[in-house]
Amino acid sequence: MPATHDPRPIGVFDSGIGGLTAVRELFRQLPHEEVVYFGDTARLPYGNKSKETVTRFSVEIASFLVRQNVKCIVVACNTASSHALEALRLRWELPVIGVIEPAARAAVALSPHGMIGVVGTLATVGSGAYLEEIHKLAPAASVLSRACPLFVPLVEEGWLDHRVTHLVAEEYLAELRAANLESLILGCTHYPLLAPLLHELMGPGVHLVDSGAEAARATAQLLAERGQLAAAGGPRGPQHHFFLSDEPRRRSFGRVAQSFLGRPLPHVTVVDQTDLPWFERAHAIPPHTGGIPE
Ligand code: DGL
C-alpha cells in the first residue's frame, strides 16, 4: 500500500457521453475515487473533425478540469487521444492518460502472432495513432484498421441489436473478418456497447479490447505507483460530478447514458456556454478560407 493518499478527483473527458464507458470501468476498478466528467455534447462528434479543432477543444476542456482541481486527466475519447494527447501533456504537468497506449499494449499481449485489428472513427483511424503505438511495442505486428463512422449514431440511437446495425457491421467488418485476427481494438468510446454484435461477427477466437477499460486500468496503476489513490471515504462514498456543454435533447438520452455508465446517470450540470472560452474567439471567416477543399 502506498504511504500517501490524494483525495482530489480524477478528471475524465469525452466528446459526449460515450466516455461514460471508461467511467464505468473507473468506478469498478477504483471505487473510492471521485470523478469529474465533462462531455462536450455541444460539439460532438469529434470523429470527423481536424486535428487542430480536436486539439483546441481538448485544451479548453482540460483547462476546465484543471480548474476543478483534478489530480489527473483521463482522455476517454479515442479521437482526442489520437490527436491531442501530446498538446495536453506539454501544457500541464499533471498526468494525462489516453486510451491509445493502454489499448495497444493489451492487444499486443493478446496477439502472439501480431494479428491486430482496429476500428474507430475516421479521425482516429486516419491519425494512424494505434498503428504507431502497436508498432512501438511489436514492430512486426500486422495491423488492419477500419473506420466505422456510422457506429456512433447507431449507438446513440440505442440501436444496439437492430437489423440495420447488423447490416452496417457486416459491411464494415468484412475485411477484418477474413484476416485471421487475434484481437480487435474497439477504438471508440461507443463501441463497447456493440461488443455482443462484434463478438458474434468476429467469432470467439478474436479478443475484443475495450480501450476505456484499459485506460481505467492504466489510471489505477499510475495512481497506485504515485501514491495518489484516494482513501476509502465516509458512508456517502465518493461524490461524482457530471458536466455537459449542452442540454441533452433526445428522449433516449437517459437510457443511452445508463447503458454507457451501467447505472442511471446522476445529476448533470450543463456548463453555461458563456463560461467556456470559445465564444471569446468568435470571428468572421475571411472569404478565401471558406469552402471545403476538393
Ligand atoms: N468519443 C469519440 C471517440 O471515442 C466518438 C464520438 C465522436 O465522434 O465524437 O472517438
Side-chain angles (χ1 to χ4, degrees):
M1 273 299 276
T4 54
H5 291 291
D6 188 338
R8 290 177 298 163
I10 297 174
V12 182
F13 81 86
D14 178 40
S15 54
I17 55 168
L20 295 173
T21 51
V23 174
R24 174 191 197 143
E25 276 302 313
L26 283 172
F27 284 174
R28 206 175 60 78
Q29 296 184 32
L30 296 169
H32 304 310
E33 299 292 336
E34 232 171 75
V35 168
V36 177
Y37 182 86
F38 188 98
D40 196 4
T41 43
R43 299 185 287 189
L44 175 106
Y46 283 11
N48 55 9
K49 294 191 170 66
S50 67
K51 180 179 173 78
E52 292 67 31
T53 298
V54 172
T55 302
R56 181 158 55 79
F57 292 172
S58 302
V59 168
E60 288 173 354
I61 296 166
S63 312
F64 175 86
L65 291 174
V66 168
R67 285 203 298 273
Q68 307 294 317
N69 195 29
V70 297
K71 59 185 164 191
C72 65
I73 294 177
V74 179
V75 185
C77 179
N78 282 257
T79 304
S81 291
S82 305
H83 283 326
L85 211 60
E86 212 179 302
L88 300 179
R89 285 181 172 157
L90 281 174
R91 207 172 174 114
W92 286 284
E93 271 175 20
L94 85 177
V96 180
I97 301 114
V99 288
I100 309 292
E101 198 271 338
R105 190 169 292 284
V108 167
L110 290 165
S111 313
H113 302 102
M115 299 298 293
I116 301 172
V118 179
V119 281
T121 62
L122 283 165
T124 296
V125 169
S127 75
Y130 272 113
L131 183 72
E132 196 181 311
E133 206 56 52
I134 292 166
H135 279 160
K136 270 191 218 161
L137 300 162
S142 166
V143 182
L144 189 59
S145 307
R146 179 71 157 101
C148 306
L150 291 175
F151 279 172
V152 167
L154 288 168
V155 170
E156 298 247 329
E157 196 59 36
W159 287 9
L160 306 183
D161 195 25
H162 194 285
R163 63 199 157 87
V164 169
T165 315
H166 272 259
L167 282 174
V168 170
E170 274 177 23
E171 183 72 28
Y172 280 150
L173 300 184
E175 210 187 327
L176 294 162
R177 291 171 79 188
N180 278 329
L181 297 180
E182 295 165 290
S183 63
L184 178 67
I185 297 179
L186 308 185
C188 175
T189 46
H190 288 56
Y191 300 178
L193 268 62
L194 296 175
L197 170 62
L198 302 181
H199 182 69
E200 182 191 319
L201 291 176
M202 295 306 297
V206 181
H207 298 281
L208 301 183
V209 177
D210 177 339
S211 54
E214 295 307 327
R217 201 163 293 136
T219 306
Q221 196 179 339
L222 183 108
L223 292 179
E225 280 165 12
R226 294 168 63 101
Q228 280 191 299
L229 288 167
R236 282 178 72 214
Q239 301 300 299
H240 309 295
H241 297 275
F242 295 90
F243 294 96
L244 299 180
S245 55
D246 196 11
E247 226 176 284
R249 288 264 169 237
R250 283 166 187 266
R251 268 184 297 131
S252 60
F253 176 81
R255 183 166 46 85
V256 175
Q258 177 164 353
S259 50
F260 282 124
L261 191 59
R263 60 170 98 164
L265 185 63
H267 176 74
V268 166
T269 305
V270 176
V271 178
D272 181 351
Q273 296 197 10
T274 53
D275 282 353
L276 292 173
W278 64 78
F279 282 90
E280 289 169 16
R281 288 187 315 275
H283 60 277
I285 301 167
H288 64 273
T289 63
I292 297 165
E294 300 279 318

